[in-house]
């Protein structure tokens, strides 16, 4: 039986923004955050500052990515106005 792995994330990246300040502004604790040039075991040497909020990694034969996405969106939706404002306040882009 084959198994699959999946997770869903929402992230921001940019040049010279403080991920800790973004965390405080949004009131959401990120799953991962790092500064440009900081060596990361799993990610190498990041080329930009990054802030990421993700689901847990799912490992199963069948994965309902819609369900995982819906759960993540439900957590982020109340923060929509802050997420929109964060883009210009911190000069960052979502991905």
């Amino acid at each position: 039986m084959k198994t699959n792995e999946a997770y869903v994330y929402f992230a921001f990246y940019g040049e010279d923004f403080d991920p800790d300040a973004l965390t405080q502004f949004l009131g959401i604790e990120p799953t991962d955050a790092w500064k440009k040039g900081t060596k990361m075991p799993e990610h190498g040497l990041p080329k930009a500052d990054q802030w990421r909020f993700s689901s847990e990694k799912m490992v199963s034969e069948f994965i309902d990515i819609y369900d995982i996405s819906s759960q993540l969106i439900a957590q982020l939706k109340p923060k929509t106005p802050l997420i929109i404002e964060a883009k210009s306040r911190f000069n960052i882009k979502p991905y």
Side-chain angles (χ1 to χ4, degrees):
M1 181 171 17
K2 261 186 160 175
T3 59
N4 298 297
E5 296 181 12
Y7 69 97
V8 175
Y9 69 88
F10 174 81
F12 281 115
Y13 74 97
E15 296 291 325
D16 299 320
F17 82 93
D18 181 0
D20 292 333
L22 179 61
T23 297
Q24 187 174 11
F25 178 75
L26 293 176
I28 301 172
E29 196 63 38
T31 309
D32 297 299
W34 53 86
K35 294 288 289 172
K36 175 181 172 179
T38 304
K39 190 172 183 177
M40 304 295 295
E42 295 179 19
H43 305 286
L45 200 61
K47 296 179 182 175
D49 302 328
Q50 297 182 37
W51 182 98
R52 182 170 59 190
F53 182 67
S54 69
S55 67
E56 293 183 23
K57 181 166 53 169
M58 306 294 289
V59 179
S60 179
E61 183 178 2
F62 300 103
I63 298 174
D64 186 346
I65 201 73
Y66 177 78
D67 184 51
I68 298 169
S69 300
S70 295
Q71 290 175 29
L72 192 77
I73 290 167
Q75 293 175 26
L76 292 170
K77 193 170 187 172
K79 303 291 185 171
T80 300
L82 291 175
I83 290 169
I84 291 168
E85 185 179 339
K87 289 171 38 183
S88 60
R89 179 180 282 216
F90 294 92
N91 193 27
I92 53 180
K93 296 179 182 173
Y95 76 96

